[in-house]
């Protein structure tokens, strides 16, 4: 794989999304042929929660005169991803695609589940009303990922129309002088409604930097400029800036790519300027520096029903060297054979390759249990000045026999003269065993002891129970009032490791018939 392709890798929300790390598979008639390459039609997709489904397109690049199979599954999507089985269909997100001879595209359709919960995702510099998940392609069922894409489920429970979006750039790009061009990605986040335009320009760097000296336009790079047009629903664009190989022995040189003049209601994020570093020579890699091999994430979570955990290992530089490392799983409090399948072996980074994936099968059971952990260890780098600063991480298996306890809505109405307010609490997910939550009452304009009596303090669901109605006694004081309110919150779920809270609070409005005109 060429260094040029590696440079198209992009960083989104602190997580590298490798668009096209195409790795050869083992030759087999049951899988993709040696040298086959697969990719998604887009590195990012968006779908409204109410749309019902999302369709992803997989493109086959080589050997289309032969039949082939490529497998797909759920990959890593940050520390707060969409949940399989809750936000999208878990079964539909794992499987295989069979390409007939001459066929170069196939699609994956994943049902999206709508709920009434306001949801959002945070990433260092932004917060937006969407939850992501990732789908990866791999050429053998226990092989390495060859491509991935992220899907953002746009939430429709926040009461706001979808905005036109916030535009931002990849903040730092490093390329070799011989790479031919630098690819700078522009992302449209926090919404994708309507057509949006933004001007861009590649220009000489004007700010001092420790990364190098300013590059010269038309000598080190071609100063391109223009306008990007995002269609309705489009999430990303790419700017390619030609790099000029002048064969002069010089240090690293810099230029900027900037965004200006957004239209269509979009705004430009504070990350409106990208810094591009041109490293002198045939490669952007300083060869004397050790090539650090590391886990993409310090720790990982995997839902029990997902069926597998995909663990990504990266090396810093796509050199021409080959580096091999050992890997193995071991028990922590999870047990191999019953909670997961132990794996071990070697990973080989070939010339130009910067990412590898370890697939660990996860076993699902019907037990109500605490979260469990296993350890994945890497070590023994051979070749290419490989260096491993962190040798292991813990992977948490999140039990899917857990329950969610929630109010059915955020606002309830009651009539004072009926002398009670009724609130409904539901239990979704697992119905194994008994679970409970505490109720905390907060006075508003309605006061405890004046407008309402002693109310239930704990809601308990027995095994199999899914709904409880809470009766809160109200005081009919005979005063001519319009409305008063108080709040009720759910807290202290028990057992703590197997119960979560959905809609955590509800406001109760008490309407008084005494305020009506009397005849």
């Amino acid at each position: 794989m060429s260094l040029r392709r590696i440079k198209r890798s992009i960083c989104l929300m602190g997580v590298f999304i490798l668009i096209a790390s195409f790795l050869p598979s083992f030759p087999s008639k049951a899988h993709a042929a040696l040298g086959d390459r697969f990719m998604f039609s887009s590195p990012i997709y968006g779908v409204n929660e109410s749309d019902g489904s999302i369709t992803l397109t997989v493109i086959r690049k080589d050997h289309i005169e032969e039949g082939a199979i490529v497998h797909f599954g759920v990959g890593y999507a940050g520390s707060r991803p969409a949940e399989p089985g809750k936000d999208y269909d878990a079964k539909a997100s794992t499987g295989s695609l069979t390409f007939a001879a001459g066929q170069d595209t196939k699609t994956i359709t994943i049902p999206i589940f709508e709920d009434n919960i306001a949801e959002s995702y945070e990433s260092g510099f932004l917060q937006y009303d969407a939850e992501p998940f990732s789908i990866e392609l791999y050429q053998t069922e226990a092989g390495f990922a060859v491509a991935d894409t992220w899907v953002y489920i746009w939430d429709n429970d926040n009461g706001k129309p979808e905005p036109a979006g916030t535009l931002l750039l990849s903040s730092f790009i490093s390329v070799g002088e011989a790479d031919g061009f630098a690819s700078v990605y522009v992302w449209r986040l926090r919404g994708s409604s309507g057509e949006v335009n933004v001007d861009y320009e590649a220009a000489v760097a004007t700010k001092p930097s420790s990364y190098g000296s300013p590059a010269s336009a038309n000598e080190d790079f071609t100063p391109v400029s223009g306008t990007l047009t995002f269609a309705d629903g489009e999430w990303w664009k790419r700017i390619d800036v030609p790099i000029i190989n002048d064969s002069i022995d010089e240090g690293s040189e810099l230029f900027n790519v900037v965004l200006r003049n957004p239209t269509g209601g979009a705004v430009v994020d504070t990350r409106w300027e990208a810094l591009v570093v041109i490293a002198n020579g045939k490669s952007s890699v300083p060869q004397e520096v050790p090539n650090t091999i590391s886990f993409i994430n310090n720790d990982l979570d995997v839902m029990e029903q997902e069926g597998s955990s995909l663990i990504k290992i990266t090396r810093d530089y796509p050199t021409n060297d080959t580096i091999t490392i050992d890997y193995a799983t071991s028990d922590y409090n999870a047990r191999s054979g019953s909670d997961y399948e132990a794996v071990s072996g070697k990973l080989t980074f070939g010339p130009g390759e910067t990412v590898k994936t370890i697939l660990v099968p996860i076993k699902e059971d019907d037990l109500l249990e605490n979260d469990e952990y296993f350890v994945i260890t890497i070590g023994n780098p051979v070749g290419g000045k490989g260096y491993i600063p962190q040798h292991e991480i813990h992977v948490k298996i999140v039990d899917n026999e857990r329950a969610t306890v929630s109010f059915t809505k955020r606002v309830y109405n009651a009539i004072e003269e009926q002398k009670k307010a009724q609130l409904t609490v539901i239990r979704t997910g697992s119905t194994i065993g008994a679970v409970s939550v505490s109720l905390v009452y907060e006075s508003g304009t309605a006061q405890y002891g004046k407008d309402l009596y002693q109310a239930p303090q704990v809601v308990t669901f027995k095994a199999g129970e899914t709904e409880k109605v809470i009766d809160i006694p109200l005081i009919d004081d005979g005063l001519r009032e319009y409305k008063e309110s108080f709040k009720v919150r759910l807290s202290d779920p028990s057992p703590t490791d197997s119960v979560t809270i959905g809609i955590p609070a509800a406001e109760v409005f008490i309407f008084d018939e005494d305020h009506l005109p009397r005849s």
Side-chain angles (χ1 to χ4, degrees), residues 233-440:
E234 195 169 14
W235 291 69
W236 66 279
K237 288 286 187 181
R238 190 181 78 213
I239 303 168
D240 288 334
V241 182
I243 303 299
I244 300 171
N245 188 352
D246 55 18
S247 301
I248 300 174
D249 188 11
E250 55 196 347
S252 295
E253 297 171 307
L254 320 174
F255 67 90
N256 295 128
V257 177
V258 298
L259 297 179
R260 299 188 182 95
N261 307 321
T263 66
V267 296
V268 172
D269 186 71
T270 53
R271 189 178 298 192
W272 57 271
E273 182 178 279
L275 176 65
V276 182
V277 178
I278 307 172
N280 181 42
K282 299 299 181 182
S283 170
S284 61
V285 182
Q287 298 296 324
E288 70 279 2
V289 178
N291 211 329
T292 301
I293 299 171
S294 58
F295 297 96
I296 281 186
N297 307 102
N298 290 331
D299 291 293
L300 287 175
D301 295 355
V302 58
M303 297 297 295
E304 189 179 72
Q305 74 271 23
E306 288 184 28
S308 65
S309 176
L310 298 173
I311 301 155
K312 287 188 175 181
I313 314 294
T314 67
R315 67 169 175 173
D316 281 353
Y317 306 118
T319 66
N320 292 325
D321 296 324
T322 296
I323 301 179
T324 299
I325 64 170
D326 296 330
Y327 70 90
T329 56
S330 59
D331 291 352
Y332 187 70
N333 63 342
R335 296 292 177 258
S336 62
S338 58
D339 299 310
Y340 72 99
E341 291 184 16
V343 298
S344 62
K346 293 182 181 293
L347 295 180
T348 299
F349 292 86
E353 294 178 340
T354 58
V355 73
K356 291 289 184 179
T357 303
I358 302 169
L359 186 147
V360 181
I362 304 298
K363 293 181 174 290
E364 185 175 11
D365 56 36
D366 294 325
L367 302 176
L368 183 60
E369 54 196 350
N370 295 334
D371 295 335
E372 299 169 307
Y373 295 81
F374 67 89
V375 179
I376 182 77
T377 303
I378 58 175
N380 192 29
V382 177
K385 298 187 179 70
Y387 167 65
I388 300 177
Q390 179 183 354
H391 286 267
E392 65 178 41
I393 62 168
H394 290 75
V395 180
K396 179 168 70 174
I397 304 174
V398 180
D399 185 43
N400 67 337
E401 278 73 42
R402 60 180 57 205
T404 299
V405 176
S406 175
F407 285 112
T408 56
K409 51 187 177 181
R410 300 179 187 274
V411 175
Y412 294 85
N413 296 323
I415 302 297
E416 183 178 282
E417 285 76 10
Q418 294 179 359
K419 298 185 179 180
K420 68 177 180 181
Q422 289 190 321
L423 285 67
T424 302
V425 179
I426 58 173
R427 172 188 186 179
T428 57
S430 174
T431 58
I432 300 173
V435 301
S436 64
V437 292
S438 298
L439 301 175
V440 178

Side-chain angles (χ1 to χ4, degrees), residues 434-457:
V435 301
S436 64
V437 292
S438 298
L439 301 175
V440 178
Y441 297 87
E442 299 178 359
S443 295
T445 51
Q447 302 292 316
Y448 181 79
K450 178 183 176 183
D451 299 294
L452 64 149
Y453 287 119
Q454 177 73 35
Q457 303 297 308

Side-chain angles (χ1 to χ4, degrees), residues 30-32 38 40 58 69-73 93-99 108 135-147:
H31 300 289
F38 296 90
F40 287 97
V58 178
I69 295 175
V70 66
H71 307 279
F72 61 90
S93 57
T94 301
S96 302
L97 298 176
T98 300
F99 287 77
I108 302 168
I135 298 294
E136 295 187 327
L137 301 178
Y138 40 99
Q139 291 174 295
T140 63
E141 290 180 292
F144 306 123
V146 297

Side-chain angles (χ1 to χ4, degrees), residues 113-165:
F113 301 144
E114 185 172 12
D115 55 34
N116 59 357
I117 300 173
E119 299 149 316
S120 65
Y121 185 92
E122 286 189 41
S123 171
F125 49 88
L126 287 179
Q127 175 173 343
Y128 45 96
D129 301 310
E131 290 184 305
F133 65 95
S134 172
I135 298 294
E136 295 187 327
L137 301 178
Y138 40 99
Q139 291 174 295
T140 63
E141 290 180 292
F144 306 123
V146 297
D148 67 358
T149 189
W150 282 39
V151 180
Y152 286 84
I153 305 174
W154 190 266
D155 185 44
N156 62 350
D157 299 299
N158 52 32
K160 300 179 291 184
E162 183 183 4

Side-chain angles (χ1 to χ4, degrees), residues 172-242:
F172 182 91
I173 301 95
S174 177
V175 297
E177 195 174 68
D179 290 345
F181 63 89
S183 291
V184 181
Y185 284 82
V186 183
W187 299 97
R188 182 187 188 185
L189 302 179
R190 304 189 73 178
S192 61
S193 178
E195 183 177 286
V196 165
N197 297 300
V198 66
D199 296 333
Y200 69 88
E201 180 184 10
V204 174
T206 57
K207 299 177 183 178
S209 172
S210 60
Y211 289 107
S213 58
S216 298
N218 296 313
E219 295 180 9
D220 300 306
F221 73 98
T222 301
V224 297
S225 62
T227 300
L228 298 177
T229 298
F230 291 80
D232 181 35
E234 195 169 14
W235 291 69
W236 66 279
K237 288 286 187 181
R238 190 181 78 213
I239 303 168
D240 288 334
V241 182

